[in-house]
Amino acid sequence: HEFSPVFSLAAQSCDSNVLAMEVLTRVAHEHGMSALFHEKPFAGLNGSGKHNNWGVNTDTGANLFTAGKTPAEQRRFVAMVAALLRAVKCHGDLMRIGVSSAGNDHRLGAQEAPPPIFTLSVGEQLEAHLRAAAAGGPLDGYGSEPRALSVAAGVQPIDTSLEDRNRTAPFPWCTN
């Protein structure tokens, strides 16, 4: 089973995380069980245990890695993704320390990226937009066209944004 607290500011999130682990540990013990928080508690199985994903929001709660609908929000999004890509290139080692514990190296590696790799695939459409902006094109305009994601036959398509949601990226830039 997965336990995924709702996003909150860092200090509150840390408190909630510690409280949740204490409660889960106590309840498991009451039932003669153990709560495992290791990133990959069982050898040979992909782990989905305790790990971090980062988000960057304004003081009003606006997610800086969401393309947005207005030209100003789209410009901000493209600028933030470009800044993140540069930061990973220059300081990826420090960023990895912030999102991965030593135990996290056990979680990844099967069908996911190997742990030392910081995956930041932006997808073809965002990459094309970033390249055009780097060549002098406008920052805005990306993300104004929604797309429908087909799930399965008989299931209504889900409206999503254009970004590629790479689940091994510690910085998910998307509204998906």
Side-chain angles (χ1 to χ4, degrees):
H1 298 286
E2 179 171 313
F3 178 79
S4 181
V6 175
F7 167 81
S8 59
L9 297 177
Q12 180 184 353
S13 183
C14 289
D15 290 346
S16 297
N17 188 38
V18 170
L19 178 61
M21 289 191 304
E22 288 178 1
V23 169
L24 288 168
T25 300
R26 189 175 331 120
V27 171
H29 181 72
E30 289 172 5
H31 293 279
M33 303 172 87
S34 295
L36 303 177
F37 300 111
H38 191 279
E39 290 83 348
K40 186 173 180 177
F42 305 107
L45 297 174
N46 250 6
S48 61
K50 193 161 175 28
H51 63 280
N52 299 316
N53 290 309
W54 287 2
V56 181
N57 297 337
T58 67
D59 59 349
T60 61
N63 183 344
L64 298 177
F65 290 127
T66 298
K69 294 180 175 36
T70 69
E73 291 170 340
Q74 294 164 358
R75 287 191 298 272
R76 179 182 66 197
F77 168 72
V78 170
M80 289 302 299
V81 171
L84 174 63
L85 293 172
R86 176 74 177 161
V88 169
K89 179 178 180 180
C90 297
H91 307 289
D93 54 345
L94 295 175
M95 295 173 80
R96 183 173 185 270
I97 290 168
V99 296
S100 295
S101 64
N104 197 56
D105 288 357
H106 299 289
R107 182 177 74 89
L108 302 175
Q111 49 271 40
E112 298 183 22
I117 295 177
F118 223 83
T119 56
L120 293 173
S121 172
V122 294
E124 292 177 11
Q125 291 173 318
L126 180 52
E127 180 179 350
H129 188 82
L130 290 170
R131 288 186 184 278
L139 291 178
D140 59 352
Y142 177 79
S144 54
E145 299 176 21
R147 71 174 181 177
L149 178 65
S150 296
V151 180
V155 176
Q156 192 73 2
I158 299 170
D159 290 333
T160 68
S161 56
L162 297 173
E163 304 86 57
D164 176 26
R165 174 57 174 103
N166 183 340
R167 68 184 210 90
T168 62
F171 293 90
W173 45 77
C174 64
T175 53
N176 296 341

